[in-house]
Amino acid sequence: MAYANTISGLKAKRLELTKEIERLRSEAASLTNDRSAIEQVLRAFGCTEFENAPRVYNPTFERGQLHRFVCDYLRTHGKGTTRDVTLALIADRGKDPDDREFYNTIQRAVSRCLAHMGTRGQATRSGSARAYEWRLVG
């Protein structure tokens, strides 16, 4: 088999990176729990100044980018569920659809976008509450 050593090395590196990602996620969860515990104790002592600290916000999309993508998807495919649009957006960005946290973030954004489009009369939905199919109006 050609490139057997290269393939073996890449598989080993991939496994190493996967383990490191899991370790870092676990460490981040532990740190978040520690911070919550400290904040709870601070509140018990009457200190609440940390609550007014500005939140760090990392925008997932540029202004109007999600709306354009959703409209383009529905225009191209005619209809689609939130899941369909979410998976297409993740694939378009070249990300891993199995990353649950990223998937959930994108799905919430797509769901909100479609709901706003429905409220403004730009899109309509049909189907059951479990799986609405969205279409552009007009």
Side-chain angles (χ1 to χ4, degrees), residues 27-94:
E27 185 177 339
S30 175
L31 292 172
T32 300
N33 289 339
D34 291 349
R35 183 183 66 191
S36 295
I38 290 170
E39 288 174 354
Q40 193 173 17
V41 172
L42 285 171
R43 278 190 204 95
F45 288 127
C47 178
T48 59
E49 61 195 48
F50 62 90
E51 292 176 349
N52 297 331
R55 298 184 87 185
V56 177
Y57 178 69
N58 295 325
T60 307
F61 303 100
E62 297 294 325
R63 184 177 182 94
Q65 182 181 17
L66 177 61
H67 186 266
R68 278 190 303 276
F69 183 88
V70 170
C71 287
D72 290 344
Y73 179 87
L74 293 177
R75 197 173 297 116
T76 303
H77 293 87
K79 63 181 178 180
T81 62
T82 303
R83 177 177 171 75
D84 297 335
V85 177
T86 301
L87 289 173
L89 182 56
I90 291 172
D92 184 63
R93 289 186 164 211

Side-chain angles (χ1 to χ4, degrees), residues 117 121-124 135-138:
M117 289 173 67
Q122 297 172 331
T124 60
R135 300 172 192 273
L136 288 177
V137 173

